[in-house]
Amino acid sequence: EPEVTQTPSHQVTQMGQEVILRCVPISNHLYFYWYRQILGQKVEFLVSFYNNEISEKSEIFDDQFSVERPDGSNFTLKIRSTKLEDSAMYFCASSEGTSGRFMDTQYFGPGTRLTVL
Amino acid sequence: GEDVEQSLFLSVREGDSSVINCTYTDSSSTYLYWYKQEPGAGLQLLTYIFSNMDMKQDQRLTVLLNKKDKHLSLRIADTQTGDSAIYFCAERGPMDTGRRALTFGSGTRLQVQP
């Protein structure tokens, strides 16, 4: 069964450093997403991406964050200058991109745990 | 903004039924979902219900939706130790806005005792 994969599973970085989190969405999917979960808190939406551009973003997704689909398979989340409060589990998801009243299930990867020291 | 709330912990004995509850605030929610997260794994979609339905049954899972009270529940019949996990309730807003972002609850940790 196809699945979303994410690398690395755990990333440790120093405050102020740039990090890139990588995801490989399911191959025929058109919409890609990033969510994060700070320890003990809710899973929060960050951004969705379609047709090589951001289609929706939350207030959390400020100028420190960027997303990119550098090739036909990878989808990345870059944090330019990490802060302590960026420490969280980051989940990538993808969906087929069906429109209208269809559900368009989002399939999630296992997550990357980011620790900022 | 939208908010989704769940109780944090539920403990049941193997073979009993589990009922996990969720409340939400967005009356325009179209789809409501239950995701399961096992240790070290991603969020796995268990089931969903469309907002014009009251109930949906899928094998051992029953979802009840009370749209008036904005209350959603997930019942797991004959709970097994393999059902031990964190269960997340999530909602999606109106389709016609183009929004696809899911709003999640904080998750309910289900512990099944043998």
Side-chain angles (χ1 to χ4, degrees), chain A residues 8 19 22 25 27 35 38 42 45 51-52 55 58 99 104 107:
Chain A
V19 294
R22 291 184 165 79
S27 63
Y35 291 78
I38 296 171
K42 295 181 180 183
F45 170 76
N51 200 25
N52 281 319
S55 61
S58 70
S99 58
D104 200 31
Y107 294 88

Side-chain angles (χ1 to χ4, degrees), chain A residues 94-110:
Chain A
S94 68
S95 67
E96 286 183 6
T98 51
S99 58
R101 69 186 302 277
F102 296 103
M103 191 178 69
D104 200 31
T105 302
Q106 293 181 27
Y107 294 88
F108 284 76

Side-chain angles (χ1 to χ4, degrees), chain A residues 31 33 35 37 40-45 48 56 91 95 97-111, chain B residues 3-5 31 33 35 37 40-45 48 50 52 88 92 95 98-107:
Chain A
Y31 268 89
Y33 312 82
Y35 291 78
Q37 185 181 28
Q41 298 187 24
K42 295 181 180 183
V43 176
E44 302 170 291
F45 170 76
S48 63
E56 188 182 354
F91 293 105
S95 67
T98 51
S99 58
R101 69 186 302 277
F102 296 103
M103 191 178 69
D104 200 31
T105 302
Q106 293 181 27
Y107 294 88
F108 284 76
Chain B
D3 194 20
V4 177
E5 296 291 339
Y31 281 106
Y33 306 84
Y35 280 85
Q37 184 183 33
L43 300 167
Q44 173 200 354
L45 179 67
Y48 66 93
F50 191 51
N52 67 354
F88 291 91
R92 178 182 167 178
M95 300 293 200
R99 286 191 64 236
R100 292 172 185 259
L102 300 180
T103 301
F104 282 86
S106 50

Side-chain angles (χ1 to χ4, degrees), chain B residues 65-83:
Chain B
L65 175 60
N66 181 329
K67 205 172 174 186
K68 175 175 162 290
D69 294 339
K70 301 193 191 75
H71 182 267
L72 181 74
S73 67
L74 173 70
R75 179 176 179 270
I76 306 173
D78 187 25
T79 314
Q80 303 297 306
T81 53
D83 295 324

